[in-house]
């Protein structure tokens, strides 16, 4: 297995441009505005992000209007999104939906939607989760039935659908007559489809319940849900380490500035050791997240590393978030201080697509039963 | 007196005096004057000198006939304990009774923007002019200050003394032109604490507690009680279906007085909900979660017994000291672990707040409230310092803040940077 632990110059340049743009266009005043907004994003900033930086196109193949970069550039983008807590449909549309369509759609379907997703003009989202947090065939009870004319109808309920409130098209996992799982595309305005926003403590990421009642849909193709989830996990892990780094930096800045007992609180060894441990934890998680992205880019089996990264990044993010509040003291518990924005994102990311414990289990399973284990034995 | 004699006494008194048709405050005045409102207080001051362990039977008897007890919620008990220990006769006479009757509300004016952990670094000034102390400066994070009639104020009366020696302790009337209270919103969406600004606020000389310069010593009494009381429930609910107006008054009082504390049960982590949630969700069958739940149960049980052990030691006449810090530190661990276990039990649903959310948003509220536990009342780090230095007797940190306070290095007015 190969590894690559540093990004090349172009990649770093891309990171820098994006970071600068986000610092400018998505300061926390803007994040707070989007938290309070039902759409949860600013269309003007979204189109600038896409026109100036081609953000949504990065992981989409060139023949479909994409930039044709790979998972590593995607990981960079996610890291910067997490760092700035940018509120917009990037994760839902350019990561989840674009990948699901690329993996399951036929040529005509890709031509139909990918260029729009790549330019940001079409916002798509992905509806898979029903009851279990992790994507698996067993969890899918939504049904797809086909009419004689080859048209499909979907019925069922999807939970935790990110950014459905602003999507134009939804890719839905459903069970076919033969029991297998396929993805289907349906317009958000389609008959029998309702989108209900879900109230969550983390208002930076909008969630919805989507119900389908004989909703007309177009079939994309058979779906391998665990593999789709692997890809999304890698993106999410990189997003989480971005957020964790913001908080760590904030804790470093604040503890050096804050004086108690006639000295900066960062000069107390109790605090220095904590910050050192936090750096360790964040850097370990970062290596895991980068390694998973590299694995995807190299087309290697990523299951083990995707779950490893998710478990490590979740725990590092949550830990750094609660320590960051603690190190701020009373001010860290206020609404006015920005720490809680990341804290809430950390908590919601921790449980999104499975808890750390579930991913440790999944990682072990991949090690003992996965493709690499088979290769080792056979 | 033994338990049964006390029970008999309080029963007789209640039979003669309890009347649900009384006005709430009036009833509590009877209660306070009889000594049954605070039986463990001195008999000179609205109590009966009873052993605290024995006074539980009084609560039982009150509950038995549905009688309402003395007011106990909020910061009032911090005030009571401090005044009982340090105030003069006149001050006790003036303030203790309305604390018990609920007629007057209190807040704690200790923390400042520049001094939280380093409480002795307070820079709110108190200057004596004739018969009044003139107060200028700012306090922050003051729970319930927006409802309070009086504040327990720690302020600097002497800038040439070393920091711990130049502080004085006052009872400040909150309802005066020189006091401005602004509510602060917390990360959990509630607004229970405040900023308090003083511009030439006035405190009569007679409201100085103890002597000038005693402030730090007296504040320690308040804080020791605050830290010890971490494991005690605060919100007794009136359990009655009776329509008598006194119950309505009591409910209204609880709603106002308890409003800032509504989320406090959540801040402690709600260990009590863990098994119910685990059963409801099926998480009880998950071997990993079972381990976490068991670990939490062990932690919470042993912390509870540790508190009981400390109380028993106190009863046996052993001095009560910084042991409260152990209980408070344990409470932080419990809160944090409980929030983590709740997160994993509820998984995807943990952060939901709307309808269909687990327990109507209670779980989400736990997650965004527990961070307060390890900050309020002195942070975990400060508790560890107290345990290390005062319980274990380890060497103190080298000091950078000795000498006259005016020369000590402090925070500048620079606004701290946000993340
Ligand atoms: C919910 C809530 C209610 C409150 N209610 C009240 C109230 O009613 N009245 C009132 O007066 N105050 C109240 N407070 C304030 C509380 O007491 C202070 O927030 C607390 O003492 C910490 O002070 P600070 O906020 O200034 O943090 P700081 O003292 O600035 O601490 C920042 C960080 O530095 C750490 N630190 C500081 N000194 C040391 C050291 N020597 N060694 C290692 N680490 C150190 C702290 O532990 C913390 O992690 C409340 C706070 C909260 C959160």
């Amino acid at each position: 297995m190969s590894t690559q632990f540093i990004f090349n110059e172009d990649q770093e340049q891309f990171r820098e441009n994006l970071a600068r743009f986000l610092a400018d266009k998505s300061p926390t005043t803007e994040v707070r505005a989007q938290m309070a907004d039902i759409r949860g994003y600013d269309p003007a900033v979204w189109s600038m992000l896409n026109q100036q930086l081609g953000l949504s196109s990065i992981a989409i193949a060139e023949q479909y209007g994409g930039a044709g970069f790979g998972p590593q550039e995607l990981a960079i983008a996610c890291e910067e999104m997490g760092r700035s807590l940018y509120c917009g449909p990037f994760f839902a549309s350019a990561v989840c939906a674009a990948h699901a369509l690329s993996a399951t759609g036929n040529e005509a379907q890709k031509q139909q939607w990918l260029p729009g997703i790549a330019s940001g003009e079409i916002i798509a989202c992905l509806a898979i989760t029903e009851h279990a947090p992790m994507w698996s065939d067993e969890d899918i009870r939504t049904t797809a039935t086909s009419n004689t004319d080859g048209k499909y109808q979907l019925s069922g309920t999807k939970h935790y659908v990110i950014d459905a409130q602003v999507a134009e098209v939804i890719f839905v996992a459903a069970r076919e007559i033969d029991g297998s799982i396929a993805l289907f595309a349906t317009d958000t305005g389609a008959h029998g489809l309702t989108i209900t926003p879900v109230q969550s403590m983390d208002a930076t990421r909008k969630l919805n319940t989507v119900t389908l009642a004989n909703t007309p849909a177009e079939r994309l193709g058979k779906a391998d849900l665990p593999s789709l989830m692997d890809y999304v996990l890698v993106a999410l892990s990189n997003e989480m380490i971005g957020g964790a780094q913001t908080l760590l930096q904030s804790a470093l800045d604040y503890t050096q500035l804050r004086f108690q007992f006639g000295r900066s609180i960062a000069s107390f060894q109790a605090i220095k050791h904590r910050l050192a441990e936090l750096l360790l934890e964040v850097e370990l998680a970062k290596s895991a997240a980068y390694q998973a992205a590299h694995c995807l880019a190299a087309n290697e089996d990523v299951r083990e590393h995707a779950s490893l990264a998710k478990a490590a990044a979740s725990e590092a993010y949550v830990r750094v978030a609660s320590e960051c509040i603690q190190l701020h003291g009373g001010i860290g518990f206020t609404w006015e201080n920005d720490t809680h924005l990341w804290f809430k994102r950390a908590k919601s990311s921790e449980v999104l697509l499975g808890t750390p414990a579930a991913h440790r289990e999944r990682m072990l399973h991949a090690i003992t039963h996965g493709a690499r284990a088979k290769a080792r034995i056979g | 007196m033994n338990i049964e004699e006390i029970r008999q006494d309080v029963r007789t008194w209640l039979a003669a005096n309890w009347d649900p048709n009384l006005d709430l405050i009036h009833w509590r005045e009877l209660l306070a004057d009889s000594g049954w409102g605070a039986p463990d207080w001195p008999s000179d001051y609205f109590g009966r000198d009873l052993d605290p362990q024995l006074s539980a039977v009084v609560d039982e008897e009150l509950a038995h006939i549905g009688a309402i007890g003395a007011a106990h919620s909020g910061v009032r008990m911090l005030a009571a304990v401090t005044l009982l220990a340090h105030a003069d006769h006149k001050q006790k006479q003036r303030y203790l009774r309305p604390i018990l009757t609920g007629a007057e509300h209190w807040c704690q004016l200790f923390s400042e923007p520049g001094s939280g952990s380093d409480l002795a670094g307070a820079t709110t000034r108190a200057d004596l002019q004739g018969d009044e102390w003139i107060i200028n400066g700012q306090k922050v994070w003051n729970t319930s200050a927006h409802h309070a009639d009086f504040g327990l104020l720690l302020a600097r009366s002497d800038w040439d003394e070393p920091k711990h020696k130049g502080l004085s302790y006052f009872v400040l009337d909150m309802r005066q032109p020189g006091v401005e209270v602004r509510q602060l919103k917390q990360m959990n969406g509630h607004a229970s604490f405040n900023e308090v600004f003083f511009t030439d606020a006035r405190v009569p000389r007679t409201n100085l507690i103890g002597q000038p310069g005693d402030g730090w010593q007296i504040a320690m009494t308040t804080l020791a009680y605050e830290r010890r009381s971490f494991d005690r429930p605060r919100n007794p609910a009136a359990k009655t279906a009776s329509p008598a107006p006194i119950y309505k008054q009591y409910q209204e009082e609880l709603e106002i007085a308890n409003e800032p504390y509504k989320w406090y049960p959540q801040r402690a982590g709600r260990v009590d909900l863990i098994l119910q949630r685990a059963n409801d969700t099926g998480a009880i069958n998950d071997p990993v979660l079972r381990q976490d739940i068991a670990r939490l149960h062990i932690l919470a049980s042993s912390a509870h017994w540790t508190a009981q052990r400390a109380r028993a030691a106190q009863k046996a006449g052993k001095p009560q000291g910084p042991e409260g810090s152990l209980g408070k530190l344990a409470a932080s661990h419990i809160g944090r672990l409980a929030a983590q276990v709740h997160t994993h039990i509820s998984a995807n649903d943990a952060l939901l707040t709307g309808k269909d959310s687990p327990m109507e948003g209670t779980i989400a509220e736990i997650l965004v409230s527990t961070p307060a536990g390890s900050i309020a009342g002195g942070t975990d780090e400060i508790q560890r310092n107290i345990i290390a230095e005062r319980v274990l007797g380890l060497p103190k940190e080298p000091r950078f803040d000795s000498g006259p306070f005016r020369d000590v290095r402090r925070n500048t007015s620079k606004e701290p940077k946000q993340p």
Side-chain angles (χ1 to χ4, degrees):
Chain A
M1 180 185 45
S2 63
T3 40
Q4 183 203 321
F5 288 111
I6 46 172
F7 294 105
N8 65 34
E9 228 167 86
D10 290 346
Q11 289 168 329
E12 288 301 346
Q13 188 61 47
F14 168 66
R15 179 195 295 282
E16 219 169 278
N17 292 343
L18 180 57
R20 205 171 318 116
F21 181 95
L22 291 171
D24 184 36
K25 294 293 189 301
S26 180
T28 52
T29 44
E30 182 60 19
V31 172
R32 286 169 183 268
Q34 297 318 322
M35 285 166 65
D37 187 285
I38 45 168
R39 287 172 312 175
Y41 84 116
D42 178 345
V45 174
W46 175 247
S47 70
M48 268 189 280
L49 254 176
N50 288 308
Q51 280 161 20
Q52 292 174 19
L53 295 170
L55 189 76
S56 294
S57 75
I58 44 178
I60 294 174
E62 276 166 302
Q63 68 263 40
Y64 308 114
F69 294 129
Q72 283 180 306
E73 288 77 8
L74 185 77
I76 292 172
C78 290
E79 188 178 344
E80 295 311 313
M81 300 271 155
R83 201 190 298 273
S84 70
L85 217 52
Y86 168 73
C87 294
F90 176 78
F91 184 75
S93 189
V95 178
C96 299
H99 177 69
L101 174 60
S102 303
T104 59
N106 64 30
E107 187 58 26
Q109 290 164 333
K110 291 183 200 177
Q111 288 295 356
Q112 183 182 350
W113 287 296
L114 281 176
I117 294 174
S119 70
E121 280 150 324
I122 292 179
I123 295 173
C125 71
L126 186 58
I128 294 182
T129 303
E130 295 187 13
H131 293 283
M134 294 209 270
W135 296 349
S136 70
D137 288 5
E138 301 83 72
D139 191 41
I140 306 299
R141 275 161 247 185
T142 296
T143 55
T145 48
S146 59
N147 299 342
T148 42
D149 56 2
K151 293 259 160 55
Y152 286 81
Q153 291 192 326
L154 306 181
S155 292
T157 303
K158 295 289 179 181
H159 291 289
Y160 303 101
V161 185
I162 300 170
D163 285 338
Q165 80 286 357
V166 293
E168 181 176 317
V169 55
I170 309 188
F171 304 134
V172 183
R175 191 173 293 279
E176 300 196 273
I177 301 291
D178 69 357
S180 64
I181 306 298
L183 285 196
F184 297 82
T186 174
D187 289 345
T188 45
H191 164 83
L193 187 149
T194 48
I195 296 172
T196 315
V198 173
Q199 307 295 320
S200 155
M201 270 291 176
D202 175 20
T204 65
R205 180 138 52 206
K206 306 288 190 222
L207 303 172
N208 303 271
T209 300
V210 175
T211 56
L212 308 137
N214 298 319
T215 302
E218 178 176 339
R219 186 178 184 280
L220 301 179
K222 289 238 179 290
D224 172 1
L225 297 184
S227 295
L228 288 183
M229 186 169 79
D230 288 337
Y231 183 93
V232 173
L233 288 174
V234 175
L236 182 60
S237 303
N238 280 278
E239 185 195 285
M240 286 191 280
I241 57 148
Q245 289 171 92
T246 302
L247 291 175
L248 179 56
Q249 189 58 48
S250 155
L252 280 169
D253 292 344
Y254 186 78
T255 53
Q256 289 177 79
L257 214 88
R258 175 72 171 166
F259 268 66
Q260 292 288 276
F261 305 97
R263 58 201 267 198
S264 96
I265 57 172
S267 73
F268 289 110
Q269 205 168 59
I271 304 268
K272 281 192 287 199
H273 284 184
R274 286 253 288 291
L275 288 166
E277 286 287 341
L278 289 179
L279 177 69
L280 173 63
E281 198 161 340
V282 170
E283 288 299 316
L284 294 178
K286 192 197 240 183
S287 303
Y290 286 1
Q291 176 62 21
H294 176 70
C295 215
L296 261 188
N299 260 324
E300 290 166 10
D301 177 36
V302 74
R303 179 112 346 130
E304 170 192 336
H305 292 118
S307 281
L308 187 161
K310 171 65 162 70
S314 305
E315 294 210 325
Y317 198 2
V318 166
R319 165 113 189 270
V320 113
S322 66
E323 292 283 15
C324 189
I325 292 176
Q326 180 68 17
L327 291 169
H328 275 77
I331 210 166
F333 193 62
T334 60
W335 187 266
E336 197 184 330
N337 184 272
D338 290 330
T339 309
H340 74 99
L341 310 183
W342 277 269
F343 175 90
K344 289 168 183 172
R345 174 64 79 83
K347 289 301 293 181
S348 77
S349 304
E350 180 188 17
V351 292
L352 185 66
L353 298 175
T355 60
H359 281 287
R360 282 191 286 267
E361 193 53 51
R362 189 171 184 262
M363 174 198 78
L364 275 180
H365 193 265
I367 291 173
T368 51
H369 294 77
R372 289 205 295 122
K374 290 195 189 110
R376 258 174 246 149
I377 298 159
Chain B
M1 263 208 297
N2 69 30
I3 280 212
E4 283 321 308
E5 284 164 348
I6 298 167
R7 195 186 292 283
Q8 214 39 61
D9 277 8
V10 66
R11 244 185 219 179
T12 312
W13 186 85
L14 283 171
N17 290 280
W18 165 245
D19 175 2
N21 296 312
L22 289 174
D23 169 74
L24 176 62
I25 303 287
H26 180 62
W27 153 244
R28 287 213 187 110
E29 282 168 357
L30 296 178
L31 194 60
D33 294 339
S34 73
W36 289 119
D40 55 330
W41 288 12
S43 48
D44 290 347
Y45 301 108
F46 315 103
R48 289 183 160 250
D49 287 319
L50 276 191
D51 183 311
Q53 302 293 105
L54 293 180
S55 54
V57 29
V58 178
D59 293 338
E60 279 169 31
E61 289 304 309
L62 287 166
H64 186 64
I65 60 161
I68 292 166
H72 276 292
S73 56
V75 184
R76 64 182 63 250
M77 296 317 287
L78 300 188
V81 166
T82 310
L83 294 175
L84 277 170
H86 301 282
D88 63 28
H89 176 67
K90 273 201 172 139
Q91 291 165 338
K92 288 179 189 161
Q93 285 291 346
R94 162 65 188 84
Y95 293 112
L96 291 172
R97 192 165 178 257
I99 285 178
L100 289 178
T101 65
E104 290 171 351
H105 298 275
W106 289 74
C107 68
Q108 181 189 25
L109 303 169
F110 283 10
S111 306
E112 297 185 7
S115 62
S117 298
D118 183 16
L119 201 55
T123 58
T124 291
R125 24 183 342 128
D127 298 292
L128 188 61
Q129 276 179 22
D131 272 345
E132 284 182 326
W133 292 90
I134 309 299
I135 313 295
N136 283 285
Q138 189 201 334
K139 296 287 172 177
V140 72
W141 323 129
N142 314 106
T143 306
S144 280
H146 55 302
H147 294 149
D149 300 293
F150 294 98
L152 301 168
L153 172 70
L154 189 63
R156 188 159 303 278
S157 49
D158 191 333
W159 296 70
D160 296 317
E161 289 283 351
K163 62 196 272 185
H164 294 87
K165 299 250 158 76
L167 295 167
S168 298
Y169 200 110
F170 304 93
V171 168
L172 172 116
D173 184 349
M174 294 291 286
R175 317 241 184 229
Q176 58 167 308
V179 175
E180 191 198 336
V181 180
R182 290 187 206 148
Q183 275 187 267
L184 290 169
K185 188 174 172 185
Q186 296 137 200
M187 65 175 274
N188 62 1
H190 293 277
S192 39
F193 55 33
N194 304 269
E195 299 177 284
V196 180
F197 298 86
F198 312 105
T199 318
D200 292 332
R202 272 141 214 282
V203 174
R205 217 174 164 154
T206 49
N207 274 17
L208 170 75
I209 308 297
Q211 296 301 311
D214 285 352
W216 180 251
Q217 255 354 84
I218 301 174
M220 286 301 105
T221 302
T222 317
L223 289 179
Y225 182 82
E226 183 178 14
R227 287 163 190 171
R228 267 208 315 279
S229 49
F230 238 71
D231 62 330
R232 286 180 214 169
R234 283 174 191 252
N235 305 340
K239 289 187 208 89
T240 174
S242 157
I246 196 166
Y247 294 112
K248 199 163 159 257
Q249 269 183 298
Y250 180 56
Q251 274 315 328
E252 283 164 8
E253 173 192 81
L254 281 184
E255 263 161 48
I256 297 169
N258 286 347
E259 199 276 330
Y261 305 100
K262 251 200 275 186
W263 54 279
Y264 272 39
Q266 274 68 276
R267 129 174 144 173
R270 296 310 294 269
V271 177
D272 59 317
L273 297 180
I274 293 275
L275 276 181
Q276 183 191 339
R277 289 288 302 151
N279 281 317
D280 290 353
T281 56
I284 194 68
N285 300 315
D286 178 325
V288 179
L289 271 169
R290 288 179 71 83
Q291 285 291 316
D292 286 345
I293 293 168
R295 198 170 282 128
L296 178 61
H297 180 72
I298 292 170
L299 183 58
S301 305
S302 34
H304 175 65
W305 294 324
T306 304
Q308 284 190 329
R309 199 152 59 90
R311 259 174 242 147
Q314 179 191 24
K315 199 181 149 203
K318 303 238 173 76
Q320 269 283 302
E323 291 82 359
S325 293
L326 282 178
K328 185 168 187 302
L329 191 56
S332 291
H333 289 309
I334 293 166
R336 246 191 316 270
L337 181 57
Q340 206 53 34
V341 174
H342 272 302
T343 305
H344 293 156
I345 289 176
S346 295
N348 257 1
D349 293 339
L351 267 85
L352 300 190
T353 55
K355 68 172 171 57
D356 298 338
S357 65
M359 314 199 85
E360 290 167 341
T362 299
I363 303 301
E365 191 162 280
I366 291 168
L367 308 187
V368 294
S369 297
T370 42
S374 47
I375 299 170
T379 66
D380 278 7
E381 289 70 29
I382 294 308
Q383 307 314 319
R384 290 190 192 107
N385 281 346
I386 292 172
I387 293 166
E389 294 178 5
R390 305 235 292 270
V391 182
L392 297 175
L394 298 176
K396 291 201 189 296
E397 285 278 311
R399 294 213 81 107
F400 291 76
D401 55 357
S402 44
F405 183 72
R406 55 173 82 254
D407 303 331
V408 171
R409 186 157 176 208
R410 303 193 286 276
N411 289 291
T412 56
S413 55
K414 244 192 298 177
E415 253 316 288
K417 224 171 88 193
Q418 300 232 355

